[in-house]
Amino acid sequence: MFRKVEFMEKLLNDHMPYAGEDRIAEIRRLAESLGNLRVLHVNSTSYGGGVAELLYTIVPLMRDAGLDAEWHVIDGVPDEFFDVTKKIHNSLQGAQTPLGDREWCLYEDVNMKLAKAFPRGPWDVVIIHDPQPLAVLAFLDSVPESERPVVDRWFWRCHIDLSTPLDDTWHRLWPYVNEYDGAIVTSRAYARDEIAIPVAEITPSTDPTSPKNLPIPEDEARQMMVSFGIATDRPLIVQVSRFDPWKDPFGVVESYRILKKKWPDLQLAMVGSIAADDPEGIGILAKLKEDAEEDGDIHVLSNEDGVGAREVAGFQQCADVVIQKSTREGFGLTITEAMWKGRPVVAGNATGCKLQISDGEDGFIVKTTEQCAARIDEILEDPDLGARLGEKARETVRRRFLSTQHVMNYLNLFAGRL
Ligand code: UDP
């Protein structure tokens, strides 16, 4: 029921040009003081979405720092489990969709089975990401002691915007959270009163050395856009996201339609992937494709059209404006990635967007589709404004959201300093 994820080696030294020599030395010192710490990360998918993206960098960098870090995903669980956990995810973000008894039964039944099959370790630290495997720890009590994993410290890492959860779902889950030794949230704003264990704040990060972030030569990037049917001499706005209601894909199309009246040449690319643990995306993608059929300048593209990491980078790099019109967002890596590329980003008024963008300084925060269209219009009218916002955006990411900072924060947590 668990599968160990294989990943490419990553080296801290490759991050030196971005993070500086001192930061890398600091990480090595701290890791050394922790000894050969055995760390296990567990989440629900190795493909699609921000958590997988993060772990492909954080885990290998922890290893290079000297920790014995592994990443396992839950595996072989019924498809309906992910329908249920997506509903949990949505209602934790405020959707008015309580789960029924049968759904809770399935959630708990799978977590009980996961508890029985949990990798035995021994582990010094286990980090369980998000709600899918959250209840595992509570169910370990029902596993015979001789078959239980040996774990020193358990952390629950929540990537979700918990600022307005549906009470029904949250009250069912928080007792599971309090089984842990500590919780990790992206922002203190998500640390709800019911959480009685120590809470650490760690923001996610982007990897400047990943194919997602490496600059693509201009010619090649242009060629790439042409291969997806995009005209490179006309303005392009882009949203890169899972096809998820909280990313407000239809709001993006609406903003584009408002703009199209003034900018008849405007093109919109909606670039997304279907994550293995996100069954909801398929329906949204189909609906967006229907919209796109009526307008040749709306391009809806997914991994099925050959959009991989490098293509995502190409779209972010070539966009005149990057949109992330989320209504809820724990932390939008797509925003960080676009900011790192020096692009102006117009993002929704969600806590996770506001954690990254200071409105008017290094991007824009908008509340409505009309405002979104108006801010995009301002940037299209004044490319210098876009360049200024983009330049500051890159600096914000350099200061606060690089992977090395993220690893450092984890090490401080393991050392009991967070
Ligand atoms: N992503 C991707 N291909 C896509 C769409 C998204 O590789 O077609 C990546 C994106 O670049 C980012 C991550 O998936 O690294 C999405 O993370 P984010 O935090 O923005 O959102 P989440 O999906 O976790 O809600």
Side-chain angles (χ1 to χ4, degrees):
M1 295 203 72
F2 287 89
R3 177 172 55 81
K4 183 174 171 187
V5 179
E6 303 297 335
F7 40 76
M8 307 269 283
E9 183 182 59
K10 294 213 173 196
L11 302 176
L12 283 164
N13 281 352
D14 292 340
H15 288 251
M16 200 103 81
Y18 312 100
E21 221 169 291
D22 291 351
R23 170 49 49 93
I24 304 297
E26 204 183 346
I27 290 175
R28 289 199 189 284
R29 263 198 313 277
L30 188 50
E32 200 179 328
S33 74
L34 290 168
N36 192 29
L37 209 70
R38 293 260 295 145
V39 178
L40 173 65
H41 289 268
V42 174
N43 81 319
S44 62
T45 178
S46 59
Y47 179 76
V51 180
E53 187 82 19
L54 288 170
L55 291 174
Y56 275 114
T57 291
I58 295 305
V59 182
L61 285 185
M62 283 183 181
R63 290 188 70 82
D64 187 47
L67 269 50
D68 188 358
E70 290 186 19
W71 168 18
H72 293 206
V73 287
I74 61 180
D75 195 28
V77 301
D79 288 347
E80 304 84 69
F81 176 72
F82 292 118
D83 293 325
V84 170
T85 56
K86 187 66 203 291
K87 220 166 155 184
I88 291 178
H89 176 112
N90 286 345
S91 53
L92 281 178
Q93 297 211 128
Q96 299 301 306
T97 50
L99 278 74
D101 288 343
R102 281 194 49 237
E103 291 169 311
W104 282 118
C105 265
L106 176 61
Y107 175 73
E108 286 162 355
D109 184 55
V110 168
N111 269 272
M112 198 178 298
K113 290 186 175 128
L114 289 170
K116 285 192 185 124
F118 202 87
R120 299 281 276 279
W123 309 104
D124 295 300
V125 178
V126 171
I127 300 163
I128 302 283
H129 294 257
D130 280 343
Q132 295 92 339
L134 163 66
V136 151
L137 181 50
F139 289 116
L140 278 180
D141 283 346
S142 57
V143 176
E145 199 158 348
S146 59
E147 292 168 28
R148 279 184 218 161
V150 178
V151 178
D152 189 27
R153 280 182 293 165
W154 291 86
F155 290 98
W156 182 54
R157 201 313 175 207
C158 177
H159 295 271
I160 293 176
D161 180 344
L162 273 185
S163 43
T164 54
L166 181 70
D167 277 352
D168 203 68
T169 303
W170 174 237
H171 286 293
R172 187 83 180 220
L173 290 180
W174 68 254
Y176 293 134
V177 176
N178 285 337
E179 297 278 327
Y180 285 75
D181 296 299
I184 308 165
V185 291
T186 296
S187 158
R188 293 253 164 230
Y190 305 150
R192 306 203 61 77
D193 288 348
E194 294 81 6
I195 302 182
I197 53 175
V199 177
E201 180 185 275
I202 297 183
T203 42
S205 58
T206 200
D207 178 350
T209 71
S210 85
K212 182 72 61 65
N213 279 325
L214 291 177
I216 301 173
E218 279 299 317
D219 275 3
E220 194 188 321
R222 258 199 300 273
Q223 211 33 58
M224 191 189 276
M225 291 301 102
V226 170
S227 75
F228 286 109
I230 310 281
T232 53
D233 55 352
R234 292 165 48 194
L236 172 67
I237 56 178
V238 171
Q239 173 157 302
V240 175
S241 268
R242 282 182 300 107
F243 298 108
D244 176 298
W246 303 108
K247 314 282 185 186
D248 197 14
F250 299 106
V252 174
V253 173
E254 220 177 296
S255 300
Y256 158 84
R257 292 215 164 109
I258 296 173
L259 286 158
K260 189 75 174 168
K261 292 180 196 138
K262 175 170 170 191
W263 300 88
D265 272 359
L266 187 65
Q267 306 168 94
L268 166 67
M270 304 283 289
V271 178
S273 57
I274 302 289
D277 62 349
D278 183 6
E280 201 181 10
I282 295 163
I284 295 178
L285 172 60
K287 174 78 187 64
L288 279 171
K289 285 208 161 166
E290 254 176 63
D291 282 5
E293 269 173 26
E294 295 163 14
D295 182 336
D297 286 333
I298 303 180
H299 301 266
V300 180
L301 298 160
S302 77
N303 42 322
E304 285 164 9
D305 303 293
V307 179
R310 198 162 167 79
E311 288 72 24
V312 167
F315 275 100
Q316 289 168 333
Q317 179 176 319
C318 294
D320 292 286
V321 181
V322 171
I323 311 169
Q324 189 57 56
K325 218 195 145 301
S326 306
T327 52
R328 293 281 191 286
E329 189 65 76
F331 186 92
L333 280 184
T334 50
I335 297 177
T336 334
E337 290 157 6
M339 291 173 79
W340 179 244
K341 295 179 182 72
R343 304 317 301 145
V345 180
V346 175
N349 186 41
T351 312
C353 304
K354 291 189 285 188
L355 277 176
Q356 299 176 74
I357 293 178
S358 304
D359 188 26
E361 285 288 312
D362 50 11
F364 285 125
I365 298 289
V366 293
K367 289 190 176 142
T368 62
T369 45
E370 290 76 15
Q371 264 182 23
C372 181
R375 287 305 197 186
I376 295 170
D377 178 48
E378 264 181 66
I379 300 169
L380 293 178
E381 279 287 357
D382 180 3
D384 286 348
L385 168 66
R388 278 199 307 278
L389 293 170
E391 202 178 310
K392 286 200 177 146
R394 184 171 166 95
E395 207 34 51
T396 301
V397 176
R398 186 194 303 284
R399 266 190 301 110
R400 300 176 55 202
F401 303 125
L402 291 184
S403 313
T404 31
Q405 177 68 50
H406 197 177
V407 170
M408 188 72 199
N409 290 344
Y410 266 116
L411 296 180
N412 275 319
L413 175 77
F414 301 158
R417 292 194 202 151
L418 269 192

